[in-house]
Coordinates of all heavy atoms in Angstrom, one line a residue:
M674 N 18.3 -15.0 -4.6 CA 18.1 -13.6 -5.1 C 16.9 -12.9 -4.3 O 15.9 -13.5 -4.2 CB 17.8 -13.6 -6.6 CG 17.5 -12.3 -7.1 SD 16.9 -12.4 -8.8 CE 17.9 -11.2 -9.5
K675 N 17.3 -11.8 -3.7 CA 16.3 -11.0 -2.9 C 15.5 -10.1 -3.8 O 16.1 -9.5 -4.7 CB 17.0 -10.3 -1.8 CG 16.3 -9.9 -0.6 CD 17.0 -9.6 0.6 CE 17.8 -8.4 0.5 NZ 18.3 -8.0 1.8
T676 N 14.2 -10.0 -3.5 CA 13.3 -9.1 -4.3 C 12.8 -8.1 -3.3 O 12.9 -8.2 -2.1 CB 12.1 -9.8 -4.9 OG1 11.3 -10.3 -3.9 CG2 12.6 -11.0 -5.8
F677 N 12.1 -7.1 -3.8 CA 11.5 -6.0 -3.0 C 10.5 -6.5 -2.0 O 10.1 -5.9 -1.1 CB 11.0 -4.9 -3.8 CG 9.9 -5.2 -4.8 CD1 8.6 -5.1 -4.3 CD2 10.2 -5.6 -6.1 CE1 7.5 -5.4 -5.2 CE2 9.1 -5.9 -6.9 CZ 7.8 -5.8 -6.4
L678 N 9.9 -7.7 -2.3 CA 8.9 -8.3 -1.4 C 9.4 -9.3 -0.4 O 8.7 -9.9 0.3 CB 7.8 -8.9 -2.2 CG 6.9 -7.9 -3.0 CD1 5.8 -8.7 -3.9 CD2 6.1 -7.0 -2.0
D679 N 10.8 -9.4 -0.3 CA 11.4 -10.3 0.6 C 11.0 -9.9 2.0 O 11.0 -8.8 2.3 CB 12.9 -10.4 0.4 CG 13.3 -11.2 -0.7 OD1 12.5 -12.1 -1.2 OD2 14.4 -11.1 -1.2
E680 N 10.9 -10.9 2.9 CA 10.7 -10.6 4.3 C 11.7 -9.7 4.9 O 11.3 -8.9 5.7 CB 10.6 -12.0 5.1 CG 10.0 -11.9 6.5 CD 8.5 -11.6 6.4 OE1 7.8 -12.2 5.7 OE2 8.1 -10.8 7.3
A681 N 12.9 -9.8 4.5 CA 14.0 -9.0 5.1 C 13.8 -7.5 4.7 O 14.1 -6.6 5.5 CB 15.3 -9.5 4.7
T682 N 13.3 -7.3 3.5 CA 13.1 -5.9 3.0 C 11.9 -5.3 3.5 O 11.8 -4.1 3.9 CB 13.1 -5.9 1.4 OG1 14.2 -6.6 1.0 CG2 13.0 -4.6 0.9
V683 N 10.8 -6.0 3.5 CA 9.4 -5.5 4.0 C 8.8 -6.5 5.0 O 8.1 -7.4 4.6 CB 8.5 -5.4 2.7 CG1 7.2 -4.7 3.2 CG2 9.2 -4.6 1.6
P684 N 9.1 -6.4 6.3 CA 8.6 -7.2 7.3 C 7.1 -7.2 7.3 O 6.5 -6.2 7.2 CB 9.3 -6.7 8.6 CG 10.3 -5.7 8.2 CD 10.0 -5.3 6.8
D685 N 6.5 -8.4 7.6 CA 5.2 -8.6 7.8 C 4.3 -8.0 6.6 O 3.3 -7.5 6.9 CB 4.7 -8.0 9.1 CG 3.3 -8.6 9.5 OD1 2.9 -9.7 9.1 OD2 2.6 -7.9 10.2
R686 N 4.8 -8.2 5.4 CA 4.1 -7.6 4.3 C 2.7 -8.1 4.1 O 1.8 -7.4 3.7 CB 4.9 -7.8 3.1 CG 5.1 -9.3 2.7 CD 6.1 -9.4 1.6 NE 6.1 -10.9 1.3 CZ 6.9 -11.8 1.9 NH1 7.7 -11.4 2.9 NH2 6.9 -13.0 1.5
G687 N 2.5 -9.4 4.4 CA 1.2 -10.0 4.2 C 0.1 -9.4 5.0 O -1.0 -9.1 4.5
G688 N 0.4 -9.1 6.3 CA -0.6 -8.5 7.1 C -1.0 -7.1 6.7 O -2.2 -6.7 6.6
I689 N 0.0 -6.3 6.2 CA -0.3 -5.0 5.7 C -1.1 -5.1 4.4 O -2.1 -4.3 4.2 CB 1.0 -4.2 5.6 CG1 1.6 -3.9 7.0 CG2 0.7 -2.8 4.9 CD1 3.0 -3.4 6.9
L690 N -0.6 -5.9 3.5 CA -1.3 -5.9 2.2 C -2.7 -6.6 2.3 O -3.6 -6.1 1.6 CB -0.4 -6.8 1.3 CG 0.9 -6.1 0.9 CD1 1.7 -7.0 -0.1 CD2 0.7 -4.8 0.3
Q691 N -2.9 -7.6 3.2 CA -4.2 -8.1 3.4 C -5.1 -7.0 3.9 O -6.3 -6.9 3.4 CB -4.2 -9.2 4.5 CG -3.4 -10.5 4.0 CD -4.2 -11.2 3.0 OE1 -5.4 -11.0 2.7 NE2 -3.6 -12.2 2.3
N692 N -4.7 -6.2 4.8 CA -5.5 -5.1 5.3 C -5.8 -4.0 4.2 O -6.9 -3.5 4.1 CB -4.9 -4.4 6.5 CG -5.1 -5.1 7.8 OD1 -6.2 -5.0 8.3 ND2 -4.2 -5.8 8.3
A693 N -4.8 -3.8 3.3 CA -5.0 -2.8 2.3 C -6.0 -3.4 1.3 O -6.9 -2.7 0.8 CB -3.7 -2.6 1.6
A694 N -5.9 -4.7 1.0 CA -6.8 -5.3 0.0 C -8.3 -5.3 0.6 O -9.2 -5.2 -0.2 CB -6.4 -6.7 -0.4
A695 N -8.4 -5.5 1.9 CA -9.7 -5.6 2.5 C -10.4 -4.3 2.8 O -11.6 -4.3 3.0 CB -9.6 -6.4 3.8
A696 N -9.6 -3.2 2.6 CA -10.1 -1.9 2.9 C -11.1 -1.5 1.9 O -11.1 -1.8 0.8 CB -9.0 -0.8 2.9
G697 N -12.2 -0.9 2.5 CA -13.3 -0.5 1.6 C -13.0 0.7 0.8 O -12.0 1.4 1.1
A698 N -13.8 1.0 -0.2 CA -13.6 2.2 -1.0 C -13.8 3.4 -0.1 O -14.7 3.4 0.8 CB -14.6 2.2 -2.2
P699 N -13.0 4.4 -0.4 CA -13.2 5.7 0.4 C -14.7 6.2 0.2 O -15.3 6.0 -0.9 CB -12.2 6.7 -0.2 CG -11.3 5.8 -1.0 CD -12.0 4.6 -1.3
A700 N -15.2 6.9 1.2 CA -16.5 7.5 1.1 C -16.6 8.3 -0.1 O -17.7 8.4 -0.8 CB -16.9 8.3 2.3
D701 N -15.6 9.1 -0.4 CA -15.6 10.1 -1.6 C -14.4 9.7 -2.4 O -13.3 10.2 -2.3 CB -15.5 11.5 -1.0 CG -15.4 12.5 -2.2 OD1 -15.6 12.1 -3.3 OD2 -15.0 13.7 -1.9
S702 N -14.5 8.7 -3.3 CA -13.4 8.2 -4.0 C -12.8 9.2 -4.9 O -11.7 9.0 -5.4 CB -13.8 6.9 -4.8 OG -14.8 7.2 -5.7
A703 N -13.5 10.3 -5.2 CA -12.9 11.4 -6.1 C -12.1 12.3 -5.2 O -11.4 13.1 -5.7 CB -14.0 12.2 -6.7
G704 N -12.2 12.1 -3.8 CA -11.4 13.0 -3.0 C -10.2 12.6 -2.4 O -9.9 12.9 -1.3
W705 N -9.4 11.8 -3.2 CA -8.1 11.5 -2.7 C -7.4 12.8 -2.5 O -7.7 13.8 -3.3 CB -7.2 10.7 -3.7 CG -7.8 9.4 -4.1 CD1 -8.5 9.1 -5.3 CD2 -7.8 8.1 -3.4 NE1 -8.8 7.8 -5.3 CE2 -8.4 7.2 -4.2 CE3 -7.3 7.8 -2.1 CZ2 -8.6 5.9 -3.8 CZ3 -7.5 6.5 -1.7 CH2 -8.2 5.5 -2.5
P706 N -6.5 13.2 -1.7 CA -5.7 12.3 -0.8 C -6.3 12.2 0.6 O -5.8 11.4 1.4 CB -4.4 13.0 -0.7 CG -4.7 14.5 -1.0 CD -5.9 14.5 -1.9
E707 N -7.3 12.9 0.9 CA -7.8 12.8 2.3 C -8.3 11.4 2.6 O -8.0 10.8 3.5 CB -8.9 13.8 2.6 CG -8.5 15.1 3.0 CD -7.9 15.9 1.8 OE1 -8.3 15.7 0.6 OE2 -7.0 16.8 2.0
P708 N -9.0 10.7 1.7 CA -9.3 9.3 1.9 C -8.1 8.5 1.9 O -8.1 7.5 2.6 CB -10.3 9.0 0.6 CG -10.9 10.3 0.3 CD -9.8 11.3 0.5
F709 N -7.1 8.8 1.1 CA -5.9 8.0 1.2 C -5.3 8.1 2.6 O -4.9 7.1 3.2 CB -4.9 8.5 0.1 CG -3.5 7.9 0.3 CD1 -3.2 6.6 -0.1 CD2 -2.5 8.6 0.9 CE1 -2.0 6.1 0.1 CE2 -1.2 8.1 1.1 CZ -1.0 6.8 0.7
A710 N -5.2 9.2 3.2 CA -4.7 9.4 4.5 C -5.5 8.6 5.5 O -4.9 8.0 6.4 CB -4.6 10.9 4.8
A711 N -6.8 8.7 5.4 CA -7.6 8.0 6.3 C -7.5 6.4 6.1 O -7.4 5.7 7.1 CB -9.1 8.3 6.0
L712 N -7.3 6.0 4.9 CA -7.0 4.6 4.6 C -5.7 4.1 5.2 O -5.6 3.1 5.9 CB -7.0 4.3 3.1 CG -6.5 2.9 2.7 CD1 -7.7 1.9 2.9 CD2 -6.2 3.0 1.1
I713 N -4.6 4.9 5.1 CA -3.4 4.6 5.6 C -3.4 4.6 7.2 O -2.9 3.7 7.8 CB -2.2 5.5 5.1 CG1 -2.0 5.3 3.6 CG2 -1.0 5.4 5.9 CD1 -1.5 3.9 3.3
K714 N -4.1 5.5 7.7 CA -4.2 5.6 9.2 C -5.0 4.4 9.7 O -4.5 3.7 10.6 CB -5.1 6.8 9.6 CG -5.2 7.0 11.1 CD -5.9 8.3 11.4 CE -6.1 8.4 12.9 NZ -6.9 9.5 13.3
R715 N -6.0 3.9 9.0 CA -6.8 2.8 9.4 C -5.9 1.5 9.3 O -5.9 0.7 10.2 CB -8.0 2.6 8.5 CG -8.9 1.5 9.0 CD -10.2 1.5 8.2 NE -10.0 1.8 6.8 CZ -10.9 1.7 5.9 NH1 -12.1 1.4 6.2 NH2 -10.6 1.9 4.7
I716 N -5.2 1.3 8.2 CA -4.3 0.2 8.1 C -3.2 0.2 9.1 O -2.9 -0.9 9.7 CB -3.7 0.1 6.6 CG1 -4.8 -0.1 5.6 CG2 -2.7 -1.0 6.6 CD1 -4.4 0.1 4.2
G717 N -2.7 1.4 9.5 CA -1.7 1.4 10.5 C -2.2 1.1 11.9 O -1.6 0.4 12.6
E718 N -3.4 1.5 12.1 CA -4.0 1.1 13.4 C -4.3 -0.3 13.5 O -4.2 -1.0 14.5 CB -5.3 1.9 13.6 CG -5.2 3.4 13.9 CD -6.4 4.2 13.8 OE1 -7.4 3.6 13.5 OE2 -6.3 5.4 14.2
Q719 N -4.7 -0.9 12.4 CA -5.0 -2.4 12.4 C -3.8 -3.3 12.5 O -3.9 -4.3 13.0 CB -5.9 -2.8 11.1 CG -7.2 -2.2 11.1 CD -7.9 -2.4 9.7 OE1 -7.3 -2.7 8.7 NE2 -9.2 -2.1 9.8
T720 N -2.7 -2.8 11.9 CA -1.4 -3.6 11.9 C -0.5 -3.2 13.0 O 0.4 -4.0 13.2 CB -0.8 -3.5 10.5 OG1 -0.4 -2.2 10.3 CG2 -1.6 -4.0 9.4
G721 N -0.5 -2.0 13.5 CA 0.4 -1.5 14.4 C 1.7 -1.0 13.8 O 2.6 -0.6 14.5
F722 N 1.7 -0.9 12.5 CA 2.9 -0.3 11.8 C 2.7 1.1 11.5 O 1.6 1.5 11.3 CB 3.1 -1.2 10.5 CG 3.6 -2.6 10.7 CD1 2.9 -3.6 10.3 CD2 4.8 -2.8 11.4 CE1 3.3 -4.9 10.5 CE2 5.2 -4.1 11.6 CZ 4.5 -5.2 11.2
R723 N 3.9 1.7 11.3 CA 3.9 3.2 10.9 C 5.1 3.4 10.0 O 5.9 2.5 9.8 CB 4.1 4.1 12.1 CG 3.1 3.9 13.2 CD 3.5 4.8 14.5 NE 4.8 5.1 14.6 CZ 5.3 5.8 15.6 NH1 4.5 6.4 16.4 NH2 6.6 6.0 15.7
G724 N 5.1 4.5 9.4 CA 6.3 5.0 8.5 C 6.6 4.0 7.5 O 5.7 3.4 6.8
K725 N 7.8 3.8 7.2 CA 8.4 2.9 6.2 C 7.8 1.5 6.3 O 7.5 0.8 5.2 CB 9.8 2.9 6.1 CG 10.5 4.1 5.6 CD 12.0 3.9 5.5 CE 12.6 5.2 5.0 NZ 14.0 5.1 4.8
R726 N 7.6 1.0 7.5 CA 7.1 -0.4 7.7 C 5.7 -0.5 7.1 O 5.2 -1.6 6.8 CB 7.2 -0.8 9.1 CG 8.7 -1.0 9.5 CD 8.9 -1.7 10.8 NE 8.5 -3.1 10.7 CZ 8.2 -3.9 11.7 NH1 8.4 -3.5 13.0 NH2 7.9 -5.1 11.6
L727 N 5.0 0.6 7.1 CA 3.6 0.6 6.6 C 3.5 0.9 5.2 O 2.9 0.2 4.4 CB 2.8 1.6 7.4 CG 1.4 1.9 7.0 CD1 0.6 0.6 7.1 CD2 0.7 3.0 7.8
Y728 N 4.3 2.0 4.8 CA 4.2 2.4 3.4 C 5.0 1.6 2.3 O 4.4 1.3 1.2 CB 4.9 3.8 3.2 CG 3.9 4.9 3.7 CD1 4.0 5.4 5.0 CD2 3.0 5.5 2.9 CE1 3.1 6.4 5.5 CE2 2.1 6.5 3.3 CZ 2.2 6.9 4.6 OH 1.4 7.9 5.0
L729 N 6.1 1.0 2.7 CA 6.9 0.2 1.7 C 6.2 -1.0 1.1 O 6.2 -1.2 -0.1 CB 8.2 -0.2 2.3 CG 9.3 0.9 2.4 CD1 10.6 0.3 2.9 CD2 9.6 1.5 1.0
P730 N 5.4 -1.8 1.9 CA 4.8 -3.0 1.3 C 3.7 -2.4 0.3 O 3.5 -3.0 -0.7 CB 4.2 -3.7 2.5 CG 4.9 -3.3 3.7 CD 5.3 -1.8 3.3
I731 N 3.0 -1.4 0.7 CA 1.9 -0.9 -0.2 C 2.5 -0.3 -1.4 O 2.0 -0.5 -2.5 CB 1.0 0.1 0.6 CG1 0.4 -0.5 1.8 CG2 0.0 0.9 -0.3 CD1 -0.4 0.4 2.7
R732 N 3.5 0.5 -1.3 CA 4.2 1.1 -2.5 C 4.8 0.0 -3.4 O 4.6 0.0 -4.6 CB 5.4 2.0 -2.0 CG 6.1 2.6 -3.2 CD 7.3 3.4 -2.8 NE 7.0 4.6 -2.1 CZ 6.4 5.7 -2.6 NH1 6.3 5.8 -3.9 NH2 6.2 6.7 -1.9
A733 N 5.4 -1.0 -2.7 CA 6.0 -2.2 -3.5 C 4.8 -2.9 -4.3 O 5.0 -3.2 -5.5 CB 6.8 -3.1 -2.7
A734 N 3.7 -3.1 -3.7 CA 2.7 -3.7 -4.3 C 2.0 -3.0 -5.5 O 1.7 -3.5 -6.4 CB 1.6 -4.2 -3.2
V735 N 1.8 -1.7 -5.2 CA 1.1 -0.9 -6.2 C 2.1 -0.4 -7.3 O 1.6 -0.4 -8.4 CB 0.5 0.4 -5.4 CG1 0.1 1.5 -6.4 CG2 -0.5 0.0 -4.5
T736 N 3.3 -0.1 -7.1 CA 4.2 0.4 -8.1 C 5.3 -0.6 -8.6 O 5.9 -0.3 -9.6 CB 4.9 1.7 -7.7 OG1 5.8 1.3 -6.6 CG2 3.9 2.7 -7.2
G737 N 5.6 -1.6 -7.7 CA 6.7 -2.5 -8.1 C 8.1 -1.8 -7.7 O 9.1 -2.4 -8.0
R738 N 8.1 -0.7 -7.0 CA 9.3 -0.1 -6.6 C 9.2 0.3 -5.1 O 8.2 0.5 -4.6 CB 9.5 1.2 -7.4 CG 9.7 0.9 -8.9 CD 9.9 2.1 -9.7 NE 10.0 1.8 -11.1 CZ 11.2 1.6 -11.8 NH1 12.3 1.7 -11.1 NH2 11.2 1.3 -13.0
L739 N 10.4 0.6 -4.6 CA 10.5 1.0 -3.2 C 10.5 2.6 -3.0 O 10.4 3.1 -1.9 CB 11.7 0.4 -2.5 CG 11.5 -1.1 -2.3 CD1 12.8 -1.7 -1.6 CD2 10.3 -1.5 -1.5
H740 N 10.8 3.2 -4.2 CA 10.9 4.7 -4.1 C 10.2 5.3 -5.3 O 10.0 4.6 -6.3 CB 12.4 5.1 -4.2 CG 13.2 4.5 -3.2 ND1 13.3 5.0 -1.9 CD2 14.1 3.5 -3.2 CE1 14.1 4.3 -1.2 NE2 14.6 3.3 -1.9
G741 N 9.6 6.5 -5.1 CA 8.9 7.1 -6.2 C 8.1 8.3 -5.6 O 8.3 8.8 -4.5
P742 N 7.1 8.7 -6.4 CA 6.3 9.9 -6.0 C 5.5 9.5 -4.8 O 5.4 8.4 -4.4 CB 5.4 10.1 -7.2 CG 5.5 8.9 -8.1 CD 6.8 8.1 -7.7
E743 N 5.0 10.6 -4.2 CA 4.1 10.4 -3.0 C 3.0 9.5 -3.3 O 2.4 9.6 -4.4 CB 3.7 11.8 -2.5 CG 4.8 12.7 -2.1 CD 4.3 14.1 -1.7 OE1 3.1 14.2 -1.4 OE2 5.2 15.0 -1.5
M744 N 2.6 8.7 -2.3 CA 1.6 7.7 -2.5 C 0.2 8.3 -2.8 O -0.5 7.8 -3.6 CB 1.5 6.8 -1.3 CG 2.7 5.9 -1.1 SD 2.9 4.7 -2.4 CE 1.5 3.7 -2.2
D745 N -0.1 9.5 -2.3 CA -1.4 10.0 -2.5 C -1.5 10.4 -4.0 O -2.6 10.3 -4.6 CB -1.7 11.3 -1.6 CG -0.7 12.4 -1.7 OD1 0.4 12.1 -2.2 OD2 -1.0 13.5 -1.3
R746 N -0.4 10.8 -4.6 CA -0.4 11.1 -6.1 C -0.7 9.8 -6.9 O -1.3 9.8 -7.9 CB 0.9 11.8 -6.5 CG 1.0 13.1 -5.9 CD 2.3 13.7 -6.3 NE 2.4 15.0 -5.7 CZ 3.4 15.9 -6.0 NH1 4.2 15.7 -6.9 NH2 3.4 17.1 -5.4
I747 N 0.0 8.8 -6.5 CA -0.2 7.5 -7.2 C -1.7 7.0 -7.0 O -2.3 6.6 -8.1 CB 0.8 6.4 -6.6 CG1 2.2 6.8 -6.9 CG2 0.5 5.0 -7.2 CD1 3.3 6.0 -6.1
F748 N -2.2 7.1 -5.9 CA -3.6 6.7 -5.7 C -4.5 7.6 -6.4 O -5.6 7.1 -6.9 CB -3.9 6.7 -4.2 CG -3.6 5.4 -3.4 CD1 -2.3 4.9 -3.5 CD2 -4.6 4.8 -2.7 CE1 -2.0 3.7 -2.8 CE2 -4.3 3.6 -2.1 CZ -3.0 3.1 -2.1
A749 N -4.2 8.8 -6.7 CA -5.0 9.7 -7.4 C -5.1 9.3 -8.9 O -6.0 9.6 -9.6 CB -4.6 11.2 -7.3
L750 N -3.9 8.8 -9.4 CA -3.9 8.4 -10.8 C -4.5 7.1 -11.2 O -4.9 6.9 -12.3 CB -2.4 8.4 -11.2 CG -1.7 9.7 -11.2 CD1 -0.2 9.6 -11.5 CD2 -2.3 10.7 -12.3
L751 N -4.5 6.1 -10.2 CA -5.0 4.8 -10.5 C -6.5 4.6 -9.9 O -6.8 5.2 -8.9 CB -4.1 3.8 -9.8 CG -2.6 3.8 -10.3 CD1 -1.8 2.8 -9.4 CD2 -2.6 3.3 -11.7
S752 N -7.3 3.9 -10.6 CA -8.6 3.5 -10.1 C -8.5 2.6 -8.9 O -7.5 1.9 -8.7 CB -9.4 3.0 -11.2 OG -9.0 1.7 -11.5
L753 N -9.6 2.6 -8.1 CA -9.6 1.7 -7.0 C -9.5 0.3 -7.4 O -8.8 -0.6 -6.8 CB -10.9 1.9 -6.2 CG -11.0 1.2 -4.9 CD1 -9.9 1.6 -3.9 CD2 -12.4 1.5 -4.3
S754 N -10.1 -0.1 -8.5 CA -10.0 -1.5 -8.9 C -8.6 -1.8 -9.4 O -8.1 -3.0 -9.1 CB -11.0 -1.8 -10.1 OG -10.7 -1.0 -11.2
S755 N -7.9 -0.9 -10.0 CA -6.5 -1.1 -10.4 C -5.6 -1.3 -9.2 O -4.8 -2.2 -9.1 CB -6.0 0.0 -11.2 OG -4.6 -0.2 -11.5
L756 N -5.9 -0.5 -8.1 CA -5.1 -0.6 -6.9 C -5.3 -1.9 -6.3 O -4.4 -2.6 -5.9 CB -5.5 0.5 -5.9 CG -5.1 1.9 -6.3 CD1 -5.8 3.0 -5.5 CD2 -3.6 2.1 -6.3
R757 N -6.6 -2.4 -6.2 CA -6.9 -3.7 -5.6 C -6.2 -4.9 -6.3 O -5.7 -5.7 -5.7 CB -8.4 -3.9 -5.5 CG -9.1 -3.1 -4.5 CD -10.5 -3.6 -4.4 NE -11.3 -2.7 -3.5 CZ -11.5 -2.9 -2.2 NH1 -10.9 -3.9 -1.7 NH2 -12.2 -2.1 -1.5
K758 N -6.3 -4.8 -7.7 CA -5.7 -5.8 -8.5 C -4.1 -5.9 -8.3 O -3.6 -7.0 -8.1 CB -5.9 -5.6 -10.0 CG -7.4 -5.9 -10.4 CD -7.6 -5.6 -11.9 CE -9.1 -5.7 -12.2 NZ -9.3 -5.4 -13.6
R759 N -3.5 -4.8 -8.1 CA -2.1 -4.8 -8.0 C -1.7 -5.3 -6.5 O -0.8 -6.1 -6.4 CB -1.6 -3.3 -8.1 CG -1.6 -2.9 -9.5 CD -1.2 -1.3 -9.6 NE -1.3 -0.9 -10.9 CZ -0.4 -0.2 -11.6 NH1 0.7 0.1 -10.9 NH2 -0.5 0.2 -12.8
I760 N -2.5 -5.0 -5.6 CA -2.3 -5.4 -4.2 C -2.5 -6.9 -4.1 O -1.8 -7.7 -3.5 CB -3.1 -4.6 -3.2 CG1 -2.5 -3.2 -3.0 CG2 -3.1 -5.3 -1.8 CD1 -3.4 -2.3 -2.3
E761 N -3.6 -7.3 -4.7 CA -3.9 -8.8 -4.8 C -2.9 -9.6 -5.4 O -2.5 -10.7 -5.0 CB -5.3 -9.1 -5.3 CG -6.4 -8.6 -4.3 CD -7.8 -8.5 -5.0 OE1 -7.9 -8.8 -6.1 OE2 -8.7 -8.1 -4.2
A762 N -2.3 -9.1 -6.6 CA -1.3 -9.8 -7.3 C 0.0 -9.9 -6.4 O 0.7 -10.9 -6.4 CB -0.9 -9.0 -8.5
A763 N 0.3 -8.9 -5.6 CA 1.4 -8.9 -4.7 C 1.2 -9.9 -3.6 O 2.1 -10.7 -3.2 CB 1.7 -7.5 -4.1
I764 N 0.0 -10.0 -3.1 CA -0.3 -11.0 -2.1 C -0.1 -12.4 -2.6 O 0.4 -13.3 -1.9 CB -1.8 -10.8 -1.6 CG1 -1.8 -9.5 -0.7 CG2 -2.2 -12.0 -0.7 CD1 -3.3 -9.1 -0.4
A765 N -0.5 -12.6 -3.9 CA -0.3 -13.9 -4.5 C 1.1 -14.3 -4.5 O 1.5 -15.5 -4.6 CB -1.0 -13.9 -5.9
L766 N 2.1 -13.4 -4.7 CA 3.5 -13.6 -4.8 C 4.1 -14.0 -3.4 O 5.2 -14.5 -3.4 CB 4.2 -12.4 -5.3 CG 3.9 -12.1 -6.8 CD1 4.6 -10.7 -7.0 CD2 4.4 -13.1 -7.7
T767 N 3.4 -13.7 -2.3 CA 3.9 -14.0 -1.0 C 3.7 -15.4 -0.6 O 2.9 -16.1 -0.9 CB 3.4 -13.0 0.1 OG1 2.0 -13.1 0.1 CG2 3.7 -11.6 -0.3

């Protein structure tokens, strides 16, 4: 049975999620989405991924789904500690 975190669905998910978990708190954590955009840009530069290959693993880890609202909105609703816990839980599943 294939899940949303399967290698075929989300290639190299571990590298992206590891980078997301290791990312530091934004300089202005009240100022999402700009810090979110900077975070995604940094993870993309570190992993070499863009677009869906970059966003899907993070979305799956944070929301448990592959589709939904824009990620900056999700990040604005969740605390940084909640985001880290969700990403670390997804890493533990891989």
Side-chain angles (χ1 to χ4, degrees):
M674 173 186 229
K675 199 158 72 166
T676 68
F677 63 88
L678 287 176
D679 284 340
E680 193 70 39
T682 305
V683 185
D685 196 28
R686 64 191 182 275
I689 293 169
L690 295 179
Q691 291 288 347
N692 277 284
D701 176 13
S702 56
W705 302 105
E707 281 71 26
F709 169 77
L712 173 71
I713 292 298
K714 181 179 179 182
R715 184 174 43 175
I716 294 170
E718 289 170 352
Q719 291 171 347
T720 61
F722 289 117
R723 305 180 328 180
K725 287 184 179 183
R726 292 190 70 193
L727 175 60
Y728 282 93
L729 284 180
I731 296 171
R732 178 184 295 282
V735 171
T736 68
R738 298 179 181 266
L739 294 178
H740 303 285
E743 295 176 17
M744 292 295 293
D745 59 341
R746 292 181 182 188
I747 293 168
F748 273 55
L750 294 173
L751 298 173
S752 69
L753 186 61
S754 65
S755 176
L756 291 167
R757 282 187 192 272
K758 286 178 187 176
R759 290 172 183 230
I760 290 170
E761 289 169 358
I764 291 170
L766 293 173
T767 61

